[in-house]
Amino acid sequence: MNTKDGFGTVWGLGLGPGDPDLVTIKAATILKRAAVIAYPAPEDGDSFARQIAAPHLPGGQKEIAIRMNLGDGAFPKDDIYDRAASAILAESKAGREVAVLCEGDPFFYGSFQYLYGRLSGRCPVRIVPGVSSLMACADAAGMPLTARNDVLSVIPAPLPEAEIARRLEDCEAAAIMKLGRHLGKVRRVLQAMDLIDRTRYVERATLGSEKVMALAEMHGESAPYFSMLLVHKRAEAWSNRSMATTDNRGEAS
């Protein structure tokens, strides 16, 4: 898509949590026609975002791999995003449409926001929402995020223990993200608040390696980057059965 001033549109494409079948029709349409794709990638190895997009790519497109130390907790990586934004802007100025691949949704803890901040106002930038990991994990766990008038909090695990506890006190339901090496710390908070039995652990939702279990069954002090804890203080909001007596699809075990 070219604008009247000759710039190509830059698209922030939400690709969903991992299953290529969860890529939206709109995102797939743009992937098929974009002359250029850009995507975050580790310093060595393949890009997860590109793996999600791969079944929808026709081939022959130019590719910009934005290589960085992913999952190290350091953000934003200003020099890397500066260079990537300059490369993408050059393609847009040349009239080429650029699809920037984003795991999940671009504006839900997505790295695309750092490119958006550098490109917006300099070239046409559009967003295509994607299925977020939050929704995918809830489906995998068979555990509604909220019910009735429940308040849902999304809590980053790198926060200090006291702050995590405070946030949990102020809500009925919570999704705790970015677990990584912080799993042990979060477990201590949940144990102190007597919420272990109200928490499910979800890892790599929608992928073949997906794991779902009660947190009480999860051992170890760390977790993969693509993992999440779902907490609900009152499961009776939608069911009169305890989570401890249901399997991960909500059927009696």
Side-chain angles (χ1 to χ4, degrees):
M1 178 185 293
N2 293 334
T3 62
K4 61 183 180 181
D5 57 8
F7 281 72
T9 298
V10 175
W11 296 92
L13 295 187
L15 299 180
D19 182 349
D21 287 344
L22 290 177
V23 172
T24 65
I25 294 173
K26 184 169 184 177
T29 299
I30 294 167
L31 287 171
K32 285 179 171 62
R33 72 175 189 231
V36 183
I37 62 171
Y39 45 83
E43 292 176 320
D44 295 298
D46 297 332
S47 163
F48 182 46
R50 196 195 183 288
Q51 289 175 12
I52 300 171
H56 305 284
L57 293 171
Q61 66 283 328
K62 182 175 180 178
E63 302 192 18
I64 300 172
I66 307 170
R67 295 200 175 272
M68 65 185 82
N69 187 2
L70 297 174
D72 64 354
F75 59 89
K77 305 170 195 298
D78 289 332
D79 57 336
I80 295 172
Y81 287 118
D82 286 346
R83 291 195 298 271
S86 293
I88 291 168
L89 180 61
E91 298 294 338
S92 174
K93 285 181 175 179
R96 289 184 280 273
E97 195 170 21
V98 183
V100 183
L101 313 185
C102 313
E103 299 151 10
D105 180 90
F107 280 174
F108 185 67
Y109 292 108
S111 60
F112 178 75
Q113 62 189 279
Y114 304 119
L115 293 172
Y116 181 83
R118 288 163 169 79
L119 294 170
S120 181
R122 303 172 70 191
C123 65
V125 184
R126 301 279 300 277
I127 305 298
V128 177
V131 177
S132 77
S133 58
L134 185 59
M135 308 309 167
C137 286
D139 174 70
M143 180 178 174
L145 289 170
T146 54
R148 301 178 184 175
N149 292 326
D150 290 342
V151 174
L152 172 69
S153 290
V154 179
I155 303 173
L159 290 174
E161 289 187 38
E163 183 65 13
I164 294 173
R166 186 181 74 80
R167 299 284 180 173
L168 286 168
E169 285 283 0
D170 292 340
C171 65
E172 287 75 40
I176 304 177
M177 304 179 62
K178 305 181 182 181
L179 291 173
R181 59 187 174 85
H182 303 284
L183 177 62
K185 173 183 69 179
V186 174
R187 192 200 310 272
R188 289 194 298 272
V189 174
L190 293 168
Q191 186 72 59
M193 299 181 71
D194 198 25
L195 290 173
I196 291 290
D197 291 336
R198 291 290 186 180
T199 303
R200 283 202 179 276
Y201 170 83
V202 184
E203 178 180 310
R204 298 187 174 95
T206 79
L207 299 177
S209 55
E210 175 185 291
K211 294 181 181 178
V212 182
M213 66 186 75
L215 180 58
E217 300 171 359
M218 173 66 181
H219 304 293
E221 294 296 301
S222 63
Y225 180 78
F226 294 105
S227 60
M228 187 181 302
L229 295 177
L230 298 179
V231 187
H232 208 293
K233 294 179 180 177
R234 57 188 197 99
E236 64 273 14
W238 65 81
S239 172
N240 60 8
R241 295 174 296 174
S242 165
M243 286 193 297
T245 62
T246 60
D247 70 12
N248 70 347
R249 289 294 172 181
E251 297 175 354
S253 54

